Structure formats: structure tokens, C-alpha cells
Amino acid sequence: MPRTIAAFVAALALSTAAAAQDFPNRTVTLIAPFPAGGPTDTVARLVGQSMSKALRQTVIIENIGGAGGTIGSKRAAAAKPDGYTVLLMHIGIATSVSLYRNLGYNPVTDLEPVGIVTTVPMVFIGRKDFPPASMKELIAYVKANKDKVTYANSGVGSASHLCGMLFMSAIGTDLTTVPYKGTGPAMTDLIGGQVDFLCDQTTNATPQIKGGKVKAYAVTTARRVKALGDLPTVQESGIAGYEVGVWNGLWVPKGTPKAAVDKLTAALRAALKDPAVISKLGDLGSEPASDQEASPEALGALLKSEVARWSPIIRKAGVYAD
Ligand code: ASP
């Protein structure tokens, strides 16, 4: 290599390393790939605000909704790999690999994992005056009224899409779905009575259930959820083996210096130990990740295993998007 080029490359490497050492020295952007007011946004705001204390820099939330969270995720993967753009996305990052014919990026190779953030149960909810009174009744009702019942979701690849897709396949009934950019706006329409039912994360649904704005039917996890008291599980209500839980993770673009990733992981772990974060997540039915889970290794392994787990299920369901 000619001396001038070699010197330039060496200087560049040095300045990148130096930049990573004093990371972060300006505002960090946390992309939530769903609209404000929804479950992803709620977790991003809660955790982002607490991470900003550990990072000693402001963390701003940028909501980039659409196409089941794939637009914002793709934008994060294409951002400058300097640690200043971080993505918070959920289980949909793994299912989108099999659901989309042209995803436009590869979450496994184009992103660098920072750590698992939380796990969140989901819950079936209906508009207040939706006739079924229990999950068992809901199943019978939607089967009998499949041409008029509407199911809201956040587009292909979202958690609400996944939950609904598995539900419809389990009861052998196809319903009309109404896609939104996120369950924040879907919830507004459910409360307003424009759609019939939804399967949403407890981080969004719990306040509306407790406030009597929507009817709650059943949680999607194998066990009941403490924050939602006596609500049965979908399994208890007659669908054997039905289980969906949402995990959230933080990523940065591939090529982000390790020193920056390490600082983000440390800030994430600090946020997940913040008593205010723990208590708020608990009220919303969600659980913070442990130190071991909030690590690049754990999230990297989870993403790979989830991509492999969902691929045959999605292929069998025959659902695809472009
Ligand atoms: N996480 C989405 C949101 O924040 C909802 C979903 O995935 O269904 O709106």
C-alpha cells in the first residue's frame, strides 16, 4: 500500500477508535419502528429515558412506523454504524425474514445485537360492546360470524399479526384483518368501536383493560399474567398449545465499534435495574431481561433461533408479503 494511503487508513482507524472511546458525546437516536403511543414506543420511552442517565446523553425516540416494523428496522440497519442510531424491535424482526419476499435487509447480518430488553405477554381484547363475554365465546362467535368480524393488526410482521395469524390457523377460520401502522392507532379505533377485536401486547392493553375501555378475553402466554389478575390463558380457553410472547431487543447497525456497543449494553443493563422501570414494566405485565439476557451474545443467539423456529410455521401457514 502506498505510504500516503497507509497513513490515511491508520489515521482513520485511530480516529474511529478515539470516537468510540468517548462515545456518546451527543444525542443518541432510538428508533421505535411503530407509531407513538403503542407498545414498542412505550418500552422505548421507558428504557430510553433511563439509558440516557447511564449514557449521560439525551436519548430521543424516533417513531418510524409502517409495514409491521420493517421500514424502521431497515432504516436502522442502513444508518451510520457509530452507535448513535439504535433500534428497538421485537419478535417481528425474526418472523419478517420468512414473511417478506423482499425484506430488503438481513437482520442477522446487517445489525449488531446489543441485548434483550423485555418479554411481554399478549392479550386478546375486544371493543366494549363486542358480544362475546369470554375467550370460549369469542372463538365460537368469530367462527359463526367470520364474514362480518374484523381483526385489527399492525401489518405483516407485527406481533399482533403473528398472534392473529396463529389464532386463525388454530381455529381454522380466516377473518378480515384491518392493518394499522401500530397498535397505538388500532387501540384508538377499537375503543371507538370501528374494529371488533385485537391481540395486543399487555404494555399497551393493560391500562385500557383496567380503565374499562375494552373487553379482555385471554392472555397468550402459557401461564396467567399477574398484572391481569384472573384472566385465563388462551390454552385454558380451549386452544391446546397456543402460546405467543413478545421479546424486545436493541440493535445497532453492523460495523458499530465494540466500545460503543459495550457502552450501550451497560446502559441497557442499568436501565433494566432502575426501580422505576421495573415497577412500570411490572404494572404493564412485562418483565425486564436479566444481565445475562441483556447481552449481545444472548440476543444474537435468540434472533438466530427465532428465525429458524418461525420459518417452518410461517411456510405452513402460507402467509407472505412483498
Ligand atoms: N409493536 C407494535 C406497536 O408498537 C404492535 C405490534 O407489533 O403488533 O404498535
Side-chain angles (χ1 to χ4, degrees), residues 8 53 82 85 143 148 155 170 198 220 225 228 242 270 293 300:
F8 175 73
K53 286 188 246 163
D82 55 9
T85 305
K143 279 185 171 179
K148 66 171 201 207
L198 166 66
T220 62
V225 175
L228 289 173
Y242 186 97
E293 292 164 331

Side-chain angles (χ1 to χ4, degrees), residues 214-276:
V214 296
K215 241 183 209 177
Y217 291 113
V219 292
T220 62
T221 36
R223 271 183 291 140
R224 291 188 180 201
V225 175
K226 211 166 135 210
L228 289 173
D230 290 335
L231 216 53
T233 65
V234 174
Q235 288 191 22
E236 284 172 61
S237 311
I239 306 183
Y242 186 97
E243 189 181 349
V244 201
V246 175
W247 48 265
N248 288 295
L250 284 190
W251 285 265
V252 284
K254 191 79 186 175
T256 300
K258 188 173 178 308
V261 176
D262 287 348
K263 283 185 184 166
L264 289 165
T265 299
L268 170 64
R269 287 177 174 167
L272 297 177
K273 290 199 193 84
D274 181 339

